[in-house]
Amino acid sequence: MTAAAYNAISQSTGEPSLAQSGAGQSGAGQDGGTVGAAVTVAGAVLLPPSTRFGPALRAVYAGQLARGRVARVPLLFVAAFQSLGIMLLLRGVVDTGNETTSEQVVAGSTVLVVAFVALNLLAQRFGALRAAGALDYYLTLPIPGSAVVLGTAASYASFAVPGTVITAVVGALLFDLPLSGLWLLLPVAALAGASLAGIGAAIGLLAPRQELATVAGQVGMSVVLFVGIIPADRLPAGANVLRDLVPSTYAVDVLAAAFRPSVDWAAAAADLLVCAVVAVITLTAASMALRRAGNARG
Amino acid sequence: MGRVLSYAVRGLTRRHGVGERAVLATCDLDLDIERGEVFGVLGPNGAGKTTLVRQLMGLIRPDAGSIEMLGWDIVARPDIPPRLAAYLGQADTALADLPVGVAVETTARLRGLGRAASRAARTAVMDELGLAPIASRPLRHLSGGQRRLAAVACTLVGDRQVLVLDEPTTGLDPTARRAVWSALQRRRATTGVTVLLVTHNVLEAETVLDRVAVLDAGRVIACDTPGRLKASVSGDVRLDLVWRSEPPRDDPTIVRLAQHAEITGHRWSTRMTAADAREALARLTAGPAFAALDDFTLATPSLEDVYLALGGASRTLERT
């Protein structure tokens, strides 16, 4: 079989069901980091295996965390300072007796930290990589695009963790809210982080220009701020639609509930599910956009 | 069954832009690159070198034509080049915040090496390129040359069969440049690695390449060994003159040289037969023009002369 014939077959049947010749078994299994046996067809050389998703994801994530170590201090605290400032401001305005509003302000400010890092900064990062032609680095490595997007998104979500904890704890103390349900912050930050990072990555990779990616990331963060902190019943007409469309809303609702004595678990689970579904959709879209972003550059 | 080439390119065509503003970045280009060859693509800025190698890495799709890489049709399967080749692009922003050692090791991991193997490969390549002393410094804090060298290390790690390098030695000092050239030659000699190297540096092309394709406006205008290419224009030599003051315009030798010279400020560059050059030089050094002459060089043809003799129009090739 010629390589051309192989291509025809592989396109119709998908990669794994390849014809393999006897020579095609080496190269795999370098500490288990690769997937599939090396393959060959008559007239073409041995094709080394791709790197598996898991090891690729871990390597991207570890690399991004190492990046963060250099820029950690500003990254972690700029996000938290913004939210702390908003809470202090509103503490002077809001009546602490109004528990619904207090919950909403603290939960909204906490999720805003996630939005700042995962949506805004990640959109800027991918926009900058794309504009510089630096995505070529990832696109010429034998790794799935989803590992690049997920690994980077996960690292940015990790950067948001200290800021969210600080914001939630300080907020609860400021507004006299109970801290007992705060463990819910863990799934909220993870799933809000994943869904907002998916949006951020998709914006960065799909925006036609770097400046547009930056602007879109900032607008996205402002929307999260607006519909996240203002209680739903006080939003202007029409903004409620926006509120329902933004995944951060669901994260804010769960976190606001966490400050109440009794939590409606079914509603919380449903809200978290929405975040998870949005995360899957946007991260998939971003992974597809990564390949397209490389190909579109002249 | 014929031999398997590292690259067999036929009729490759790629446009930039659309409609009337469309530019042919690659134009009906054919290329055969043997396995184990150090092959160069030489051309001025804008000749289409980067667009060509990005197509060879599956990063952009050609509008027409075919590319076979080691027997595989990579136009249909753009996922294949990353499995066979390592690529050094011109941008390293993806790695800029990483310490050099982490950048190299992470790249090895992404090429499928395990933890221990990645660490060993990192140490080996960093020692080879003399990067060990700066292993813990982030790329963005390095000088341009060191940073480029670190990016080269990321490309070399993980032992690919084909190395595609877009101007690997830009900004490197002569020592680092030679370290890169040796590293490439070593891989070719020991494991038969194919090297495809883009350059606009004539010295690099003449020093390290087995064969070179001279590219101009998206076309290959010549492709052969550097020696044979130079021999094809060997009737001519290049006489370069540098004036410290305005040369006497009534001197017949000056008048004749001025008609054919490419003049850049005080520098005149002319091409002529060896006999004519000797005669012109004798007249200049014996006559009144000698007082205005600051320096001269008489050189046998370089690849730059090949490029110009073949009709290349740009003047952005580097000589040193």
Side-chain angles (χ1 to χ4, degrees):
Chain A
M1 183 163 63
T2 64
Y6 161 74
N7 289 325
I9 290 173
S10 67
Q11 281 186 325
S12 58
T13 61
E15 163 77 20
S17 62
L18 301 176
Q20 294 184 7
S21 78
Q25 295 298 329
S26 70
Q30 295 162 321
D31 288 342
T34 50
V35 66
V39 294
T40 188
V41 294
V45 302
L46 194 74
L47 192 59
S50 294
T51 307
R52 275 207 316 261
F53 175 79
L57 176 72
R58 281 198 293 278
V60 171
Y61 179 72
Q64 291 296 317
L65 278 194
R67 264 189 77 228
R69 246 170 258 141
V70 177
R72 177 175 50 188
V73 173
L75 200 66
L76 297 188
F77 292 100
V78 168
F81 280 146
Q82 176 179 266
S83 287
L84 290 173
I86 289 170
M87 287 193 307
L88 276 173
L89 176 77
L90 292 178
R91 176 67 183 76
V93 181
V94 173
D95 175 10
T96 45
N98 184 340
E99 278 170 8
T100 313
T101 306
S102 301
E103 289 157 6
Q104 180 90 31
V105 166
V106 177
S109 301
T110 305
V111 173
L112 181 63
V113 177
V114 182
F116 182 87
V117 179
L119 200 164
N120 184 25
L121 293 183
L122 191 59
Q124 285 183 34
R125 167 73 178 166
F126 273 121
L129 284 180
R130 184 161 169 236
L135 292 173
D136 284 3
Y137 170 76
Y138 292 114
L139 293 171
T140 53
L141 288 166
I143 51 174
S146 52
V148 177
V149 170
L150 269 178
T152 311
S155 70
Y156 273 73
S158 303
F159 295 146
V161 167
T164 52
V165 173
I166 291 170
T167 307
V169 171
V170 172
L173 296 174
L174 267 177
F175 287 86
D176 294 328
L177 297 171
L179 286 164
S180 55
L182 214 55
W183 63 270
L184 261 173
L185 186 56
L186 193 71
V188 167
L191 290 171
S195 59
L196 293 172
I199 296 174
I203 288 173
L205 292 168
L206 289 168
R209 292 213 320 271
Q210 185 186 357
E211 299 78 16
L212 290 178
T214 304
V215 170
Q218 282 169 353
V219 168
M221 189 184 68
S222 303
V223 170
V224 172
L225 166 73
F226 186 68
V227 300
I229 292 182
I230 301 174
D233 55 357
R234 295 196 209 162
L235 279 172
N240 271 313
V241 180
L242 194 62
R243 189 177 194 278
D244 292 343
L245 286 174
V246 184
S248 60
T249 300
Y250 303 90
V252 171
D253 286 350
V254 176
L255 199 55
F259 292 120
R260 280 171 218 145
S262 67
V263 179
D264 179 352
W265 294 110
D271 283 341
L272 287 175
L273 186 65
V274 172
C275 288
V277 169
V278 173
V280 169
I281 293 170
T282 52
L283 287 167
T284 306
S287 302
M288 289 161 70
L290 179 65
R291 175 56 63 181
R292 190 184 147 277
N295 226 328
R297 272 187 74 244
Chain B
M1 175 78 53
R3 66 196 193 286
V4 177
L5 295 166
S6 280
Y7 278 109
V9 178
R10 295 288 175 273
L12 196 69
T13 301
R14 165 84 192 193
R15 280 178 196 79
H16 286 335
V18 285
E20 287 182 3
R21 296 177 63 192
V23 181
L24 274 173
T26 314
C27 182
D28 195 20
L29 187 145
D30 294 349
L31 214 56
D32 280 343
I33 301 176
E34 303 280 346
R35 297 178 75 178
E37 197 171 24
V38 179
F39 188 92
V41 177
L42 175 75
N45 296 332
K49 305 187 296 292
T50 296
T51 305
L52 170 62
V53 291
R54 292 188 80 241
Q55 290 175 89
L56 297 183
M57 280 307 297
L59 284 166
I60 43 177
R61 286 179 68 85
D63 294 324
S66 67
I67 308 170
E68 263 193 23
M69 179 182 196
L70 292 165
W72 298 90
D73 174 0
I74 63 162
V75 177
R77 293 283 308 276
D79 60 307
I80 284 182
R83 293 165 74 169
L84 295 168
Y87 174 69
L88 173 69
Q90 294 193 0
D92 62 5
T93 319
L95 301 168
D97 297 317
L98 292 182
V100 180
V102 176
V104 177
E105 194 177 325
T106 301
T107 308
R109 298 275 288 146
L110 292 171
R111 292 213 173 97
L113 272 64
R115 218 175 277 276
S118 296
R119 213 166 293 142
R122 173 201 68 189
T123 307
V125 76
M126 296 200 30
D127 287 344
E128 185 180 13
L129 294 180
L131 287 168
I134 53 166
S136 59
R137 294 178 57 193
L139 266 74
R140 71 161 72 250
H141 295 165
L142 302 176
S143 71
Q146 287 178 320
R147 184 168 166 163
R148 192 66 183 150
L149 202 56
V152 171
C154 290
T155 312
L156 295 182
V157 77
D159 296 332
R160 298 281 118 168
Q161 300 175 48
V162 178
L163 299 172
V164 179
L165 310 159
D166 195 349
E167 303 194 351
T169 59
T170 301
L172 296 192
D173 64 44
T175 316
R177 192 183 291 182
R178 290 198 184 277
V180 172
W181 292 344
S182 313
L184 297 178
Q185 295 287 8
R186 201 171 301 129
R187 277 159 182 75
R188 189 265 293 273
T190 55
T191 50
V193 164
T194 307
V195 179
L196 172 57
L197 188 154
V198 170
T199 184
H200 64 257
N201 183 296
V202 171
L203 176 69
E204 179 163 80
E206 293 182 357
T207 311
V208 295
L209 302 181
D210 297 328
R211 280 196 309 143
V212 56
V214 184
L215 212 62
D216 187 56
R219 295 167 196 272
V220 174
I221 56 174
C223 184
D224 210 330
T225 66
R228 275 207 287 267
L229 283 179
K230 288 193 284 186
S232 68
V233 293
S234 66
D236 286 351
V237 294
R238 194 180 67 232
L239 175 62
D240 287 336
L241 304 167
V242 183
W243 302 103
R244 66 165 64 99
S245 58
E246 192 62 24
R249 292 289 179 170
D250 51 354
D251 184 321
T253 311
I254 296 291
V255 173
R256 196 152 50 85
L257 285 173
Q259 283 172 350
H260 302 289
E262 179 204 323
I263 299 174
T264 319
H266 289 295
R267 292 176 181 276
W268 292 18
S269 187
T270 59
R271 265 158 254 279
M272 59 189 80
T273 64
D276 283 352
R278 266 196 305 277
E279 191 195 331
L281 208 50
R283 286 173 193 269
L284 281 179
T285 48
F290 187 57
L293 191 62
D294 188 51
D295 195 10
F296 67 87
T297 45
L298 189 60
T300 52
S302 72
L303 284 175
E304 184 187 23
D305 300 287
V306 173
Y307 168 74
L308 294 170
L310 290 168
S314 174
R315 306 287 174 189
T316 58
L317 289 174
E318 274 179 14
R319 286 180 196 168
T320 54

